[in-house]
Every structure is written in structure tokens, then in C-alpha cells.
Amino acid sequence: MDIRELVLEQLRTVVDPELGVNIVDLGLIYDLQINDGNIYILMTLTTPGCPLHDSIVGGVKRALEHIDGIRDVQVQITWNPPWTPERMSEEALRQLGYF
């Protein structure tokens, strides 16, 4: 498994507490860059002003910090473009009862 796949697998362990679905399948990850042991993630949340902002960002960092070779994890939150349900995977849609 390459490092990108491993990072995405670990990010799937981070669950949005309000929806009970992982942040990858929700489509909250907008960009993932891995460079020489440094990870940069551009992501959003389902709603601006989400009270669980710090909890989710902390969960992302904790999920990745134990991977061998990872030196630093930077997470940036953006609201542009705004998240919409269309970004969800089929698995997320199924979990939330859309199918």
C-alpha cells in the first residue's frame, strides 16, 4: 500500500460525530499533499461554525501521527467551495439512508 492510500485509510477512521460517517466518504477532504514526510490537508466541515471543528481537526492529526515516516500534519479548513451532499461517496449516502 502506498503512503497516499495509507493516509486515506487512516482518515476513514475519523468520523463526523454529528453524522456518524467518516470524513473521506463525506467528501470533506478537498486536497491531500504528501511531501517528504509532511502532510497538508485542505478540508471543510459540513457546516460553517461547526462546534466540533477542533475535535475533527484533532482527530485528523491523531489518525496520521503514528504512521512511520510522517513528520508533520497540517490541516487547513476552508469554506470555499461550500460542502454539499453531492460530495458524498455512495457508501456515505447508503449509511445516511439515501439509498
Side-chain angles (χ1 to χ4, degrees):
M1 176 179 306
D2 77 1
I3 189 71
R4 184 176 180 82
E5 290 174 9
L6 181 58
V7 166
L8 287 171
E9 180 180 295
Q10 290 303 304
L11 288 176
R12 282 187 174 89
T13 68
V14 181
V15 174
D16 180 301
E18 292 180 314
L19 296 176
V21 178
N22 75 73
I23 62 173
V24 174
D25 286 331
L26 280 174
L28 299 181
I29 305 298
Y30 285 179
D31 188 25
L32 170 62
Q33 298 176 22
I34 305 168
N35 185 14
D36 200 27
N38 298 304
I39 297 178
Y40 168 78
I41 297 171
L42 179 66
M43 65 177 290
T44 194
L45 301 171
T46 55
T47 58
C50 174
L52 300 168
H53 170 278
D54 292 337
S55 175
I56 293 172
V57 169
V60 167
K61 290 181 178 183
R62 282 188 302 280
L64 302 179
E65 66 187 6
H66 73 278
I67 298 174
D68 285 338
I70 298 302
R71 292 190 283 176
D72 187 47
V73 178
Q74 295 293 318
V75 180
Q76 180 180 350
I77 300 292
T78 186
W79 304 111
N80 190 20
W83 178 83
T84 63
E86 288 79 27
R87 296 190 56 87
M88 291 191 291
S89 70
E90 285 187 24
E91 178 60 26
L93 292 168
R94 193 173 5 271
Q95 288 179 16
L96 294 173
Y98 282 85
F99 289 134

